[in-house]
Amino acid sequence: KAGVTQTPRYLIKTRGQQVTLSCSPISGHRSVSWYQQTPGQGLQFLFEYFSETQRNKGNFPGRFSGRQFSNSRSEMNVSTLELGDSALYLCASSLEAVLSSSYNEQFFGPGTRLTVL
Amino acid sequence: GENVEQHPSTLSVQEGDSAVIKCTYSDSASNYFPWYKQELGKRPQLIIDIRSNVGEKKDQRIAVTLNKTAKHFSLHITETQPEDSAVYFCAASSDVRDDKIIFGKGTRLHILP
């Protein structure tokens, strides 16, 4: 089974631009979660999508948004980029919603490293 | 909101010795506590998790203990090996209130030869 894939792997943008990141979950997985990883803040939860619906969202401004398609692929969009948005963005997929009562191990993708200049 | 504190931030242990990483959480409604291992340049991987209805869970050399009263949980690695060197993240969440997963800042574990 192919793992979680993310595209692009590396991205360089300038302040004020917008960016769209893509995540393809493991086949059959319906939940996709997004995380931001920085040296200073560690791993921070952005949002989770399950069956095309956003289940919950972390403490990030409205510039961060996402969506999920019927094939469970998910995109994350960041508008009006700021220098502080430079980070590794990880997505993770699981069979069911992360906190459902069923088996819900999350599998992470390799990440997209975003650099904002 | 939920806050997760993780200690220590860096830990060095001799190969073969045990390593313990501790996390505390603030939200008493938290009931799911996963641990992730992230090797240098690689993605995080779930290594063990525990739900609040049990106090301890073991998987070979790895164990996690949970003290709900004190609101802390710990990762124990016994007979450490060089491949255990990595950053370890704890996390806490609740499926009762909201489902945000809050991570600790991570512990960099060095296994010394």
Side-chain angles (χ1 to χ4, degrees):
Chain A
K1 230 183 210 182
V4 179
T5 57
Q6 290 185 246
T7 56
R9 293 293 311 279
Y10 302 91
L11 205 48
I12 298 176
K13 292 284 188 178
T14 56
R15 277 181 299 175
Q17 287 187 306
Q18 73 151 18
V19 67
T20 299
L21 312 181
S22 181
C23 173
S24 292
I26 291 173
S27 177
H29 284 195
R30 297 194 291 161
S31 167
V32 174
S33 298
W34 288 89
Y35 300 87
Q36 182 194 66
Q37 186 172 31
T38 60
Q41 296 299 317
L43 268 171
Q44 291 186 290
F45 170 76
L46 278 156
F47 27 65
E48 181 196 3
Y49 284 89
F50 179 75
S51 293
E52 302 178 65
T53 302
Q54 186 180 89
R55 279 176 54 83
N56 52 83
K57 186 174 180 183
N59 297 323
F60 280 81
R63 300 185 296 108
F64 291 81
S65 63
R67 58 178 174 168
Q68 186 179 35
F69 302 94
S70 57
N71 61 357
S72 293
R73 188 178 71 85
S74 177
E75 287 182 347
M76 190 191 92
N77 186 74
V78 188
S79 62
T80 320
L81 283 166
E82 300 177 0
L83 294 178
D85 297 333
S86 294
L88 179 68
Y89 290 88
L90 292 159
C91 78
S93 76
S94 58
L95 272 170
E96 300 293 336
V98 172
L99 293 171
S100 67
S101 57
S102 56
Y103 181 63
N104 56 14
E105 180 178 356
Q106 286 188 291
F107 295 84
F108 281 82
T112 294
R113 185 162 295 283
L114 172 64
T115 301
V116 182
L117 303 175
Chain B
E2 172 72 284
N3 184 46
V4 176
E5 300 277 341
Q6 183 171 348
H7 299 280
S9 56
T10 306
L11 179 62
S12 297
V13 300
Q14 214 65 42
E15 183 179 346
D17 288 350
S18 296
V20 181
I21 302 170
K22 298 181 180 179
C23 288
T24 59
Y25 60 97
S26 59
D27 188 349
S28 56
S30 294
N31 58 3
Y32 177 65
F33 308 93
W35 285 89
Y36 292 87
K37 173 184 179 183
Q38 187 174 26
E39 296 177 60
L40 188 63
K42 296 188 177 180
R43 68 198 75 178
Q45 286 186 298
L46 179 73
I47 54 171
I48 195 167
D49 58 11
I50 192 168
R51 291 188 180 270
S52 58
N53 56 348
V54 296
E56 184 176 2
K57 185 176 177 181
K58 278 185 180 179
D59 183 4
Q60 298 181 336
R61 297 186 297 108
I62 293 172
V64 57
T65 57
L66 171 65
N67 184 327
K68 283 190 67 180
T69 304
K71 289 193 282 188
H72 68 68
F73 55 111
S74 300
L75 177 71
H76 304 253
I77 306 174
T78 58
E79 299 170 22
T80 52
Q81 298 169 5
E83 54 265 36
D84 295 330
S85 292
V87 178
Y88 292 80
F89 293 95
C90 66
S93 190
S94 167
D95 60 8
V96 174
R97 282 218 270 271
D98 58 49
D99 295 335
K100 299 181 181 62
I101 292 183
I102 308 298
F103 288 84
K105 292 283 176 72
T107 296
R108 186 172 296 280
L109 175 63
H110 299 276
I111 305 301
L112 306 172

